[in-house]
């Protein structure tokens, strides 16, 4: 049985990831500041900004485990505006550096980490270069939080250059949702402009967890980043109508059908075998 540490395993996406990994046969350790209410995996309290603690957690803990095969790094201040910009910058960039540096010390060459949809240019006050957006254009950070995610992607690329054995999979997650969040979705229809900040996209936490597991399983080495979203939008209005109303001058690189997402998941489908199976429409 392979053993994986999940940082932020007590968080919204983290809990779904821990559950999915356990259900698929992984031995999971949850590294977080607070335990998960689910209690599905052994928990270790940690400050990820303390390099010594991270090295200790990834190299083995007495009476708990003596090795790890992989790391999923989800822990972070999860969005802009929750703390002062300097605090977001310090916590998030230092935590990610410490995880990757400690993984090298521990001999761990398989790391999946949470990037963000925000690197695509959210909240799109400056429109994206084309639709659907994808991984092919350079990041456009518009907040300190997004700047850190962009710097993380650059940093990880250099770490992979230094260590050709490293496989690092960055997942640009959309807005994470649980089933109980879906009751609010019909209210978005009254003012579509309130949700165009991320092109009306979202990710069901269960499908986000699937993407994490597939990232751990992908073949090859080096850095790869993937947009991870649900296959549909949060709206009942067809996607083509939303584009016509809100982004009439943007290049539409391919037709969009029905309620198809404008955060392209084509690369994730093709490379990872990502197959999202959950929609808010099944619950409202």
């Amino acid at each position: 049985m392979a053993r994986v540490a999940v940082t932020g395993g007590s968080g919204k996406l983290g809990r779904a990831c821990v559950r999915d990994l356990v259900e698929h046969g992984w031995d999971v350790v949850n590294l977080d500041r607070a335990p998960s209410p689910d209690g599905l995996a052994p928990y270790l309290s940690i400050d990820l900004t303390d390099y010594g603690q991270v090295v200790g957690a990834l190299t083995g803990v007495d009476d708990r485990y003596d090795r790890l095969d992989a790391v999923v790094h989800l822990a972070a201040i999860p969005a802009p505006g929750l703390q002062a910009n300097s605090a977001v910058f310090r916590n998030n960039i230092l935590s990610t550096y410490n995880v990757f540096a400690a993984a090298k010390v521990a001999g761990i060459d398989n790391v999946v980490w949470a990037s963000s949809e925000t690197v695509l240019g959210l909240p799109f006050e400056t429109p994206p270069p084309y639709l659907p957006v994808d991984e092919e254009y350079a990041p456009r950070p518009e907040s300190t939080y997004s700047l850190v995610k962009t710097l993380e992607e650059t940093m990880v690329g250099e770490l992979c250059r230094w260590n050709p054995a490293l496989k690092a999979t960055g997942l640009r997650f959309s807005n994470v949702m649980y089933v109980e969040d879906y009751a609010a979705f019909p209210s978005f229809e009254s003012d579509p402009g309130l949700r165009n900040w991320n092109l009306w996209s979202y990710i069901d936490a269960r499908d986000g967890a699937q993407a994490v597991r597939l990232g751990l399983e992908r073949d090859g080495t080096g850095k790869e980043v993937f947009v991870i979203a649900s296959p549909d939008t949060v709206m009942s209005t067809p996607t083509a109508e939303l584009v016509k109303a809100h982004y009439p001058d943007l290049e539409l690189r391919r037709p969009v059908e029905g309620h198809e997402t404008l955060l392209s998941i084509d690369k994730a489908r093709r490379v990872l075998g990502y197959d999202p199976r959950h929609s808010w429409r099944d619950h409202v």
Side-chain angles (χ1 to χ4, degrees):
M1 181 182 295
R3 181 177 292 123
V4 59
V6 178
T7 76
S10 301
K12 190 171 187 179
L13 178 59
R15 297 196 303 276
C17 288
V18 168
R19 181 177 296 277
D20 182 87
L21 289 167
V22 169
E23 290 176 349
H24 285 84
W26 286 82
D27 184 0
V28 181
V29 179
N30 175 18
L31 307 181
D32 209 319
R33 290 182 180 270
S36 169
D38 299 339
L40 294 176
Y43 160 72
L44 185 68
S45 176
I46 191 170
D47 177 359
L48 292 171
T49 67
D50 183 326
Y51 177 66
Q53 289 188 39
V54 184
V55 170
L58 298 194
T59 54
V61 176
D62 290 348
D63 300 324
R64 304 297 291 275
Y65 55 90
D66 59 5
R67 63 168 180 81
L68 291 167
D69 300 291
V71 179
V72 173
H73 176 46
L74 306 178
I77 296 171
L82 299 179
Q83 295 189 29
N85 291 343
S86 60
V88 172
F89 188 93
R90 178 185 182 279
N91 181 87
N92 289 5
I93 196 71
L94 187 55
S95 295
T96 300
Y97 171 79
N98 286 347
V99 166
F100 275 91
K104 183 178 181 181
V105 171
I108 300 167
D109 292 328
N110 187 4
V111 182
V112 174
W113 91 99
S115 187
S116 169
E117 64 181 355
T118 62
V119 304
L120 297 166
L122 275 65
F124 293 120
E125 292 174 0
T126 299
Y130 52 80
L131 294 172
V133 298
D134 58 22
E135 302 87 352
E136 299 305 313
Y137 66 89
R140 297 179 167 195
E142 299 290 353
S143 66
T144 299
Y145 171 84
S146 182
L147 175 62
V148 172
K149 292 297 184 182
T150 300
L151 294 174
E152 288 175 359
E153 291 190 5
T154 301
M155 175 177 68
V156 172
E158 297 305 317
L159 295 176
C160 288
R161 182 174 63 85
W162 293 356
N163 177 13
L166 177 60
K167 179 181 71 174
T169 306
L171 303 178
R172 294 175 173 178
F173 289 110
S174 190
N175 191 190
V176 178
M177 298 290 180
Y178 277 8
V179 169
E180 53 263 37
D181 297 320
Y182 294 147
F185 278 31
S187 68
F188 302 152
E189 205 64 34
S190 62
D191 188 356
L194 294 178
R195 288 288 309 190
N196 69 348
W197 56 270
N198 76 338
L199 302 178
W200 305 280
S201 296
Y202 73 106
I203 177 65
D204 186 288
R206 295 165 293 182
D207 288 327
Q210 178 203 144
V212 166
R213 174 168 43 83
L214 293 171
L216 290 171
E217 295 171 353
R218 81 171 174 94
D219 293 330
T221 58
K223 183 193 82 171
E224 288 284 357
V225 295
F226 301 90
V227 174
I228 301 297
S230 288
D232 59 341
T233 71
V234 302
M235 304 298 291
S236 296
T237 301
T239 302
E241 293 183 24
L242 293 170
V243 172
K244 184 177 180 180
H246 295 268
Y247 298 101
D249 299 324
L250 283 190
E251 174 190 0
L252 192 60
R253 289 202 161 179
R254 59 170 176 76
V256 287
E257 299 180 358
H259 302 101
E260 182 182 350
T261 180
L262 290 168
L263 298 191
S264 173
I265 55 176
D266 293 350
K267 180 182 177 183
R269 288 185 186 275
R270 183 178 70 253
V271 177
L272 295 179
Y274 176 56
D275 182 23
R277 301 176 181 181
H278 302 284
S279 170
W280 69 274
R281 299 168 210 278
D282 298 327
H283 301 279
V284 177

